[in-house]
């Protein structure tokens, strides 16, 4: 991987980390358990609150996972292990890395994992 592409991808990774960190922190601070006191709210309101909490938790988990993937990619970049497929050790296409700089598999290996 040439130095220009490496610098471009590092900047992209850092930008995405910078975008994700505040939202992950804010979601963690806002995370509260749903109040299930039947005297205060009706059954449908409780179901709606539970659904909203489940969606919030899923969004937070996806954001945390993406943040971890980006941090791992940044570590691989600093160790000169970035840009190579973790399965076949072939170079990952630069276009694929620009779309998802945290990707760790080439297209061929990723397609083998899809059901």
């Amino acid at each position: 991987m040439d130095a220009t592409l490496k610098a471009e991808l590092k900047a992209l990774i850092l930008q995405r980390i910078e975008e994700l960190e505040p939202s992950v922190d804010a979601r963690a601070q806002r995370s509260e358990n749903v109040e299930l006191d039947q005297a205060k709210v009706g059954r449908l309101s409780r179901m709606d609150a539970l659904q909203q909490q489940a969606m919030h938790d899923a969004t937070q988990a996806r954001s945390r996972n993406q943040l971890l993937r980006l941090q791992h990619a940044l570590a691989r970049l600093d160790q000169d292990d970035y840009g190579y497929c973790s399965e076949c050790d072939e170079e990952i296409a630069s276009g694929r890395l620009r779309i998802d700089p945290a990707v760790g598999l080439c297209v061929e290996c990723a397609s083998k994992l899809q059901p």
Side-chain angles (χ1 to χ4, degrees):
M1 177 180 305
D2 70 351
T4 305
L5 178 60
K6 188 175 180 178
E8 174 190 341
L9 292 170
K10 185 172 186 170
L12 183 59
I13 291 169
L14 291 171
Q15 175 190 352
R16 292 196 181 170
I17 287 173
E18 187 177 309
E19 291 168 357
L20 272 175
E21 281 180 334
S23 64
V24 169
D25 292 341
R27 284 187 189 112
Q29 291 174 354
R30 285 193 315 251
S31 184
E32 296 178 8
N33 288 332
V34 174
E35 177 71 34
L36 295 176
D37 185 359
Q38 292 184 14
K40 291 184 180 178
V41 293
R43 185 174 140 267
L44 291 177
S45 296
R46 286 191 311 277
M47 289 172 56
D48 185 51
L50 287 169
Q51 181 182 24
Q52 291 295 325
Q53 183 174 359
M55 290 188 315
H56 172 270
D57 292 347
T59 301
Q60 185 176 5
R62 276 193 306 275
S63 295
R64 274 195 317 262
N65 183 38
Q66 181 64 9
L67 184 59
L68 289 172
R69 290 178 65 234
L70 287 164
Q71 290 168 340
H72 183 67
L74 188 60
R76 287 192 329 260
L77 190 77
D78 291 339
Q79 298 168 359
D80 290 329
D81 192 27
Y82 180 77
Y84 295 95
C85 179
S86 61
E87 290 293 316
C88 68
D89 210 30
E90 291 293 319
E91 193 168 347
I92 299 172
S94 60
R96 181 168 170 79
L97 292 170
R98 284 184 179 107
I99 291 170
D100 183 2
V103 72
L105 297 172
C106 67
V107 172
E108 188 174 328
C109 291
S111 66
K112 291 176 188 175
L113 297 177
Q114 297 297 323

